[in-house]
PDB file of all heavy atoms in Angstrom:
ATOM      1  N   ARG A  80      38.473 230.803-198.079  1.00  0.00           N
ATOM      2  CA  ARG A  80      38.705 231.810-196.971  1.00  0.00           C
ATOM      3  C   ARG A  80      37.530 232.577-196.596  1.00  0.00           C
ATOM      4  O   ARG A  80      37.421 233.072-195.476  1.00  0.00           O
ATOM      5  CB  ARG A  80      39.750 232.820-197.493  1.00  0.00           C
ATOM      6  CG  ARG A  80      41.168 232.406-197.575  1.00  0.00           C
ATOM      7  CD  ARG A  80      42.091 233.522-198.114  1.00  0.00           C
ATOM      8  NE  ARG A  80      41.965 234.721-197.218  1.00  0.00           N
ATOM      9  CZ  ARG A  80      42.147 235.972-197.666  1.00  0.00           C
ATOM     10  NH1 ARG A  80      42.411 236.182-198.978  1.00  0.00           N
ATOM     11  NH2 ARG A  80      41.958 236.962-196.868  1.00  0.00           N
ATOM     12  N   PHE A  81      36.527 232.639-197.423  1.00  0.00           N
ATOM     13  CA  PHE A  81      35.338 233.499-197.213  1.00  0.00           C
ATOM     14  C   PHE A  81      34.095 232.596-196.993  1.00  0.00           C
ATOM     15  O   PHE A  81      32.951 233.098-197.161  1.00  0.00           O
ATOM     16  CB  PHE A  81      35.126 234.360-198.406  1.00  0.00           C
ATOM     17  CG  PHE A  81      36.318 235.352-198.594  1.00  0.00           C
ATOM     18  CD1 PHE A  81      37.182 235.027-199.623  1.00  0.00           C
ATOM     19  CD2 PHE A  81      36.531 236.449-197.838  1.00  0.00           C
ATOM     20  CE1 PHE A  81      38.318 235.880-199.816  1.00  0.00           C
ATOM     21  CE2 PHE A  81      37.607 237.214-198.012  1.00  0.00           C
ATOM     22  CZ  PHE A  81      38.499 236.989-198.947  1.00  0.00           C
ATOM     23  N   ILE A  82      34.270 231.374-196.586  1.00  0.00           N
ATOM     24  CA  ILE A  82      33.126 230.502-196.383  1.00  0.00           C
ATOM     25  C   ILE A  82      32.194 231.051-195.295  1.00  0.00           C
ATOM     26  O   ILE A  82      32.686 231.561-194.334  1.00  0.00           O
ATOM     27  CB  ILE A  82      33.567 229.042-196.073  1.00  0.00           C
ATOM     28  CG1 ILE A  82      33.980 228.410-197.334  1.00  0.00           C
ATOM     29  CG2 ILE A  82      32.504 228.312-195.272  1.00  0.00           C
ATOM     30  CD1 ILE A  82      34.180 226.922-197.237  1.00  0.00           C
ATOM     31  N   LEU A  83      30.871 231.007-195.560  1.00  0.00           N
ATOM     32  CA  LEU A  83      29.890 231.513-194.602  1.00  0.00           C
ATOM     33  C   LEU A  83      29.497 230.433-193.621  1.00  0.00           C
ATOM     34  O   LEU A  83      28.810 229.490-193.988  1.00  0.00           O
ATOM     35  CB  LEU A  83      28.726 232.023-195.486  1.00  0.00           C
ATOM     36  CG  LEU A  83      28.946 233.080-196.502  1.00  0.00           C
ATOM     37  CD1 LEU A  83      27.748 233.254-197.385  1.00  0.00           C
ATOM     38  CD2 LEU A  83      29.279 234.378-195.757  1.00  0.00           C
ATOM     39  N   LEU A  84      29.963 230.511-192.457  1.00  0.00           N
ATOM     40  CA  LEU A  84      29.638 229.557-191.404  1.00  0.00           C
ATOM     41  C   LEU A  84      28.826 230.268-190.265  1.00  0.00           C
ATOM     42  O   LEU A  84      29.232 231.426-189.838  1.00  0.00           O
ATOM     43  CB  LEU A  84      30.919 228.968-190.812  1.00  0.00           C
ATOM     44  CG  LEU A  84      31.655 227.938-191.658  1.00  0.00           C
ATOM     45  CD1 LEU A  84      32.997 227.599-190.987  1.00  0.00           C
ATOM     46  CD2 LEU A  84      30.807 226.709-191.833  1.00  0.00           C
ATOM     47  N   ARG A  85      27.793 229.606-189.884  1.00  0.00           N
ATOM     48  CA  ARG A  85      27.067 230.196-188.770  1.00  0.00           C
ATOM     49  C   ARG A  85      27.804 230.193-187.467  1.00  0.00           C
ATOM     50  O   ARG A  85      28.722 229.375-187.287  1.00  0.00           O
ATOM     51  CB  ARG A  85      25.722 229.406-188.609  1.00  0.00           C
ATOM     52  CG  ARG A  85      24.718 229.690-189.748  1.00  0.00           C
ATOM     53  CD  ARG A  85      23.515 228.753-189.632  1.00  0.00           C
ATOM     54  NE  ARG A  85      23.882 227.448-190.017  1.00  0.00           N
ATOM     55  CZ  ARG A  85      23.049 226.388-189.900  1.00  0.00           C
ATOM     56  NH1 ARG A  85      21.785 226.576-189.323  1.00  0.00           N
ATOM     57  NH2 ARG A  85      23.377 225.220-190.289  1.00  0.00           N
ATOM     58  N   LYS A  86      27.364 231.051-186.559  1.00  0.00           N
ATOM     59  CA  LYS A  86      28.082 231.243-185.340  1.00  0.00           C
ATOM     60  C   LYS A  86      28.156 229.922-184.506  1.00  0.00           C
ATOM     61  O   LYS A  86      29.159 229.691-183.764  1.00  0.00           O
ATOM     62  CB  LYS A  86      27.417 232.328-184.504  1.00  0.00           C
ATOM     63  CG  LYS A  86      28.266 232.839-183.316  1.00  0.00           C
ATOM     64  CD  LYS A  86      27.619 234.098-182.761  1.00  0.00           C
ATOM     65  CE  LYS A  86      28.477 234.701-181.613  1.00  0.00           C
ATOM     66  NZ  LYS A  86      28.617 233.811-180.465  1.00  0.00           N
ATOM     67  N   GLU A  87      27.180 229.041-184.625  1.00  0.00           N
ATOM     68  CA  GLU A  87      27.151 227.793-183.843  1.00  0.00           C
ATOM     69  C   GLU A  87      28.314 226.926-184.287  1.00  0.00           C
ATOM     70  O   GLU A  87      28.793 226.147-183.396  1.00  0.00           O
ATOM     71  CB  GLU A  87      25.830 227.038-184.081  1.00  0.00           C
ATOM     72  CG  GLU A  87      25.635 226.601-185.468  1.00  0.00           C
ATOM     73  CD  GLU A  87      24.314 225.710-185.551  1.00  0.00           C
ATOM     74  OE1 GLU A  87      24.282 224.658-184.980  1.00  0.00           O
ATOM     75  OE2 GLU A  87      23.356 226.168-186.220  1.00  0.00           O
ATOM     76  N   PHE A  88      28.863 227.077-185.462  1.00  0.00           N
ATOM     77  CA  PHE A  88      30.010 226.365-185.868  1.00  0.00           C
ATOM     78  C   PHE A  88      31.309 227.021-185.451  1.00  0.00           C
ATOM     79  O   PHE A  88      32.188 226.319-184.950  1.00  0.00           O
ATOM     80  CB  PHE A  88      29.934 226.126-187.395  1.00  0.00           C
ATOM     81  CG  PHE A  88      28.868 225.246-187.902  1.00  0.00           C
ATOM     82  CD1 PHE A  88      27.673 225.753-188.356  1.00  0.00           C
ATOM     83  CD2 PHE A  88      29.008 223.845-187.885  1.00  0.00           C
ATOM     84  CE1 PHE A  88      26.677 224.926-188.739  1.00  0.00           C
ATOM     85  CE2 PHE A  88      28.040 223.048-188.350  1.00  0.00           C
ATOM     86  CZ  PHE A  88      26.815 223.553-188.718  1.00  0.00           C
ATOM     87  N   THR A  89      31.423 228.283-185.748  1.00  0.00           N
ATOM     88  CA  THR A  89      32.658 229.001-185.393  1.00  0.00           C
ATOM     89  C   THR A  89      32.842 228.998-183.885  1.00  0.00           C
ATOM     90  O   THR A  89      34.046 229.023-183.387  1.00  0.00           O
ATOM     91  CB  THR A  89      32.687 230.376-185.988  1.00  0.00           C
ATOM     92  OG1 THR A  89      31.542 231.136-185.482  1.00  0.00           O
ATOM     93  CG2 THR A  89      32.647 230.357-187.458  1.00  0.00           C
ATOM     94  N   ASP A  90      31.790 229.074-183.079  1.00  0.00           N
ATOM     95  CA  ASP A  90      31.964 229.055-181.598  1.00  0.00           C
ATOM     96  C   ASP A  90      32.620 227.752-181.135  1.00  0.00           C
ATOM     97  O   ASP A  90      33.280 227.678-180.110  1.00  0.00           O
ATOM     98  CB  ASP A  90      30.581 229.259-180.959  1.00  0.00           C
ATOM     99  CG  ASP A  90      30.224 230.701-180.910  1.00  0.00           C
ATOM    100  OD1 ASP A  90      31.061 231.577-181.255  1.00  0.00           O
ATOM    101  OD2 ASP A  90      29.009 230.974-180.557  1.00  0.00           O
ATOM    102  N   ARG A  91      32.326 226.649-181.910  1.00  0.00           N
ATOM    103  CA  ARG A  91      32.865 225.345-181.455  1.00  0.00           C
ATOM    104  C   ARG A  91      34.313 225.208-181.803  1.00  0.00           C
ATOM    105  O   ARG A  91      35.093 224.500-181.183  1.00  0.00           O
ATOM    106  CB  ARG A  91      32.127 224.193-182.125  1.00  0.00           C
ATOM    107  CG  ARG A  91      30.728 224.034-181.772  1.00  0.00           C
ATOM    108  CD  ARG A  91      30.110 222.900-182.563  1.00  0.00           C
ATOM    109  NE  ARG A  91      30.600 221.652-182.104  1.00  0.00           N
ATOM    110  CZ  ARG A  91      29.985 220.884-181.175  1.00  0.00           C
ATOM    111  NH1 ARG A  91      28.849 221.305-180.605  1.00  0.00           N
ATOM    112  NH2 ARG A  91      30.544 219.682-180.796  1.00  0.00           N
ATOM    113  N   GLY A  92      34.794 225.957-182.951  1.00  0.00           N
ATOM    114  CA  GLY A  92      36.135 225.779-183.428  1.00  0.00           C
ATOM    115  C   GLY A  92      36.201 224.549-184.245  1.00  0.00           C
ATOM    116  O   GLY A  92      35.456 223.579-184.078  1.00  0.00           O
ATOM    117  N   GLN A  93      37.193 224.495-185.106  1.00  0.00           N
ATOM    118  CA  GLN A  93      37.380 223.308-185.982  1.00  0.00           C
ATOM    119  C   GLN A  93      38.054 222.232-185.206  1.00  0.00           C
ATOM    120  O   GLN A  93      39.102 222.474-184.568  1.00  0.00           O
ATOM    121  CB  GLN A  93      38.210 223.729-187.209  1.00  0.00           C
ATOM    122  CG  GLN A  93      38.065 222.690-188.372  1.00  0.00           C
ATOM    123  CD  GLN A  93      38.573 223.240-189.660  1.00  0.00           C
ATOM    124  OE1 GLN A  93      39.228 224.311-189.663  1.00  0.00           O
ATOM    125  NE2 GLN A  93      38.239 222.612-190.744  1.00  0.00           N
ATOM    126  N   GLN A  94      37.482 221.006-185.250  1.00  0.00           N
ATOM    127  CA  GLN A  94      37.975 219.957-184.426  1.00  0.00           C
ATOM    128  C   GLN A  94      38.286 218.733-185.307  1.00  0.00           C
ATOM    129  O   GLN A  94      37.519 218.483-186.320  1.00  0.00           O
ATOM    130  CB  GLN A  94      36.962 219.579-183.329  1.00  0.00           C
ATOM    131  CG  GLN A  94      36.705 220.729-182.441  1.00  0.00           C
ATOM    132  CD  GLN A  94      35.473 220.419-181.513  1.00  0.00           C
ATOM    133  OE1 GLN A  94      34.895 219.361-181.549  1.00  0.00           O
ATOM    134  NE2 GLN A  94      35.085 221.348-180.634  1.00  0.00           N
ATOM    135  N   ALA A  95      39.264 218.024-185.004  1.00  0.00           N
ATOM    136  CA  ALA A  95      39.641 216.806-185.756  1.00  0.00           C
ATOM    137  C   ALA A  95      38.595 215.734-185.380  1.00  0.00           C
ATOM    138  O   ALA A  95      38.207 215.550-184.179  1.00  0.00           O
ATOM    139  CB  ALA A  95      41.089 216.282-185.332  1.00  0.00           C
ATOM    140  N   LYS A  96      38.126 214.976-186.409  1.00  0.00           N
ATOM    141  CA  LYS A  96      37.156 213.983-186.237  1.00  0.00           C
ATOM    142  C   LYS A  96      37.810 212.609-186.055  1.00  0.00           C
ATOM    143  O   LYS A  96      38.700 212.235-186.868  1.00  0.00           O
ATOM    144  CB  LYS A  96      36.267 213.940-187.405  1.00  0.00           C
ATOM    145  CG  LYS A  96      35.005 213.102-187.246  1.00  0.00           C
ATOM    146  CD  LYS A  96      33.938 213.951-186.531  1.00  0.00           C
ATOM    147  CE  LYS A  96      32.552 213.201-186.525  1.00  0.00           C
ATOM    148  NZ  LYS A  96      31.545 213.859-185.808  1.00  0.00           N
ATOM    149  N   ASN A  97      37.544 211.935-184.932  1.00  0.00           N
ATOM    150  CA  ASN A  97      38.143 210.551-184.763  1.00  0.00           C
ATOM    151  C   ASN A  97      37.332 209.557-185.526  1.00  0.00           C
ATOM    152  O   ASN A  97      36.035 209.463-185.330  1.00  0.00           O
ATOM    153  CB  ASN A  97      38.135 210.266-183.275  1.00  0.00           C
ATOM    154  CG  ASN A  97      39.122 211.138-182.501  1.00  0.00           C
ATOM    155  OD1 ASN A  97      40.148 211.493-182.948  1.00  0.00           O
ATOM    156  ND2 ASN A  97      38.666 211.566-181.296  1.00  0.00           N
ATOM    157  N   SER A  98      37.922 208.812-186.423  1.00  0.00           N
ATOM    158  CA  SER A  98      37.231 207.837-187.111  1.00  0.00           C
ATOM    159  C   SER A  98      36.852 206.600-186.262  1.00  0.00           C
ATOM    160  O   SER A  98      37.657 206.065-185.527  1.00  0.00           O
ATOM    161  CB  SER A  98      38.137 207.315-188.294  1.00  0.00           C
ATOM    162  OG  SER A  98      37.502 206.149-188.872  1.00  0.00           O
ATOM    163  N   PRO A  99      35.596 206.175-186.287  1.00  0.00           N
ATOM    164  CA  PRO A  99      35.188 205.054-185.494  1.00  0.00           C
ATOM    165  C   PRO A  99      35.570 203.666-186.082  1.00  0.00           C
ATOM    166  O   PRO A  99      35.340 202.655-185.508  1.00  0.00           O
ATOM    167  CB  PRO A  99      33.663 205.209-185.422  1.00  0.00           C
ATOM    168  CG  PRO A  99      33.288 205.784-186.761  1.00  0.00           C
ATOM    169  CD  PRO A  99      34.477 206.753-187.080  1.00  0.00           C
ATOM    170  N   GLY A 100      36.164 203.726-187.273  1.00  0.00           N
ATOM    171  CA  GLY A 100      36.528 202.472-187.965  1.00  0.00           C
ATOM    172  C   GLY A 100      35.309 202.017-188.796  1.00  0.00           C
ATOM    173  O   GLY A 100      35.476 201.752-189.943  1.00  0.00           O
ATOM    174  N   GLN A 101      34.163 201.917-188.249  1.00  0.00           N
ATOM    175  CA  GLN A 101      32.923 201.600-188.909  1.00  0.00           C
ATOM    176  C   GLN A 101      31.887 202.692-188.535  1.00  0.00           C
ATOM    177  O   GLN A 101      31.547 202.797-187.416  1.00  0.00           O
ATOM    178  CB  GLN A 101      32.428 200.189-188.533  1.00  0.00           C
ATOM    179  CG  GLN A 101      31.145 199.738-189.224  1.00  0.00           C
ATOM    180  CD  GLN A 101      31.442 199.183-190.645  1.00  0.00           C
ATOM    181  OE1 GLN A 101      32.269 198.284-190.796  1.00  0.00           O
ATOM    182  NE2 GLN A 101      30.806 199.726-191.605  1.00  0.00           N
ATOM    183  N   ALA A 102      31.423 203.406-189.481  1.00  0.00           N
ATOM    184  CA  ALA A 102      30.487 204.476-189.255  1.00  0.00           C
ATOM    185  C   ALA A 102      29.140 203.886-188.772  1.00  0.00           C
ATOM    186  O   ALA A 102      28.606 202.913-189.358  1.00  0.00           O
ATOM    187  CB  ALA A 102      30.210 205.345-190.463  1.00  0.00           C
ATOM    188  N   LYS A 103      28.584 204.445-187.679  1.00  0.00           N
ATOM    189  CA  LYS A 103      27.344 203.933-187.147  1.00  0.00           C
ATOM    190  C   LYS A 103      26.331 204.996-187.018  1.00  0.00           C
ATOM    191  O   LYS A 103      25.071 204.721-187.047  1.00  0.00           O
ATOM    192  CB  LYS A 103      27.576 203.287-185.771  1.00  0.00           C
ATOM    193  CG  LYS A 103      28.505 202.035-185.753  1.00  0.00           C
ATOM    194  CD  LYS A 103      28.618 201.470-184.355  1.00  0.00           C
ATOM    195  CE  LYS A 103      29.562 200.266-184.306  1.00  0.00           C
ATOM    196  NZ  LYS A 103      29.209 199.222-185.283  1.00  0.00           N
ATOM    197  N   ASN A 104      26.698 206.241-187.002  1.00  0.00           N
ATOM    198  CA  ASN A 104      25.815 207.404-186.791  1.00  0.00           C
ATOM    199  C   ASN A 104      25.784 208.196-188.103  1.00  0.00           C
ATOM    200  O   ASN A 104      26.784 208.726-188.525  1.00  0.00           O
ATOM    201  CB  ASN A 104      26.257 208.338-185.758  1.00  0.00           C
ATOM    202  CG  ASN A 104      26.297 207.648-184.327  1.00  0.00           C
ATOM    203  OD1 ASN A 104      25.495 206.683-184.083  1.00  0.00           O
ATOM    204  ND2 ASN A 104      27.133 208.055-183.449  1.00  0.00           N
ATOM    205  N   ILE A 105      24.555 208.173-188.779  1.00  0.00           N
ATOM    206  CA  ILE A 105      24.479 208.789-190.111  1.00  0.00           C
ATOM    207  C   ILE A 105      23.441 209.895-189.973  1.00  0.00           C
ATOM    208  O   ILE A 105      22.289 209.795-189.564  1.00  0.00           O
ATOM    209  CB  ILE A 105      23.996 207.745-191.141  1.00  0.00           C
ATOM    210  CG1 ILE A 105      25.006 206.591-191.235  1.00  0.00           C
ATOM    211  CG2 ILE A 105      23.893 208.425-192.504  1.00  0.00           C
ATOM    212  CD1 ILE A 105      24.598 205.484-192.171  1.00  0.00           C
ATOM    213  N   LEU A 106      23.900 211.102-190.500  1.00  0.00           N
ATOM    214  CA  LEU A 106      23.065 212.263-190.538  1.00  0.00           C
ATOM    215  C   LEU A 106      22.516 212.510-192.000  1.00  0.00           C
ATOM    216  O   LEU A 106      23.273 212.400-192.916  1.00  0.00           O
ATOM    217  CB  LEU A 106      23.825 213.524-190.096  1.00  0.00           C
ATOM    218  CG  LEU A 106      23.097 214.853-189.977  1.00  0.00           C
ATOM    219  CD1 LEU A 106      22.204 214.763-188.751  1.00  0.00           C
ATOM    220  CD2 LEU A 106      24.126 216.000-189.903  1.00  0.00           C
ATOM    221  N   ILE A 107      21.212 212.748-192.116  1.00  0.00           N
ATOM    222  CA  ILE A 107      20.657 213.008-193.488  1.00  0.00           C
ATOM    223  C   ILE A 107      20.033 214.407-193.461  1.00  0.00           C
ATOM    224  O   ILE A 107      19.227 214.787-192.560  1.00  0.00           O
ATOM    225  CB  ILE A 107      19.538 211.949-193.782  1.00  0.00           C
ATOM    226  CG1 ILE A 107      20.143 210.540-193.675  1.00  0.00           C
ATOM    227  CG2 ILE A 107      18.997 212.191-195.188  1.00  0.00           C
ATOM    228  CD1 ILE A 107      19.098 209.498-193.873  1.00  0.00           C
TER     229      ILE A 107
END
């Protein structure tokens, strides 16, 4: 309940992620 999220995240709002079936974009 008290997770620290930066404003750039909370401004977007929580959104459902659509699965592409096969992941192609990887963030490191």
Side-chain angles (χ1 to χ4, degrees):
R80 283 181 57 210
F81 301 101
I82 280 193
L83 301 168
L84 287 172
R85 289 175 286 173
K86 194 171 184 293
E87 64 176 295
F88 291 95
T89 56
D90 281 351
R91 295 179 71 94
Q93 198 165 14
Q94 301 170 1
K96 193 83 170 176
N97 294 322
S98 172
Q101 180 83 52
K103 298 185 183 301
N104 298 332
I105 302 177
L106 185 72
I107 304 173

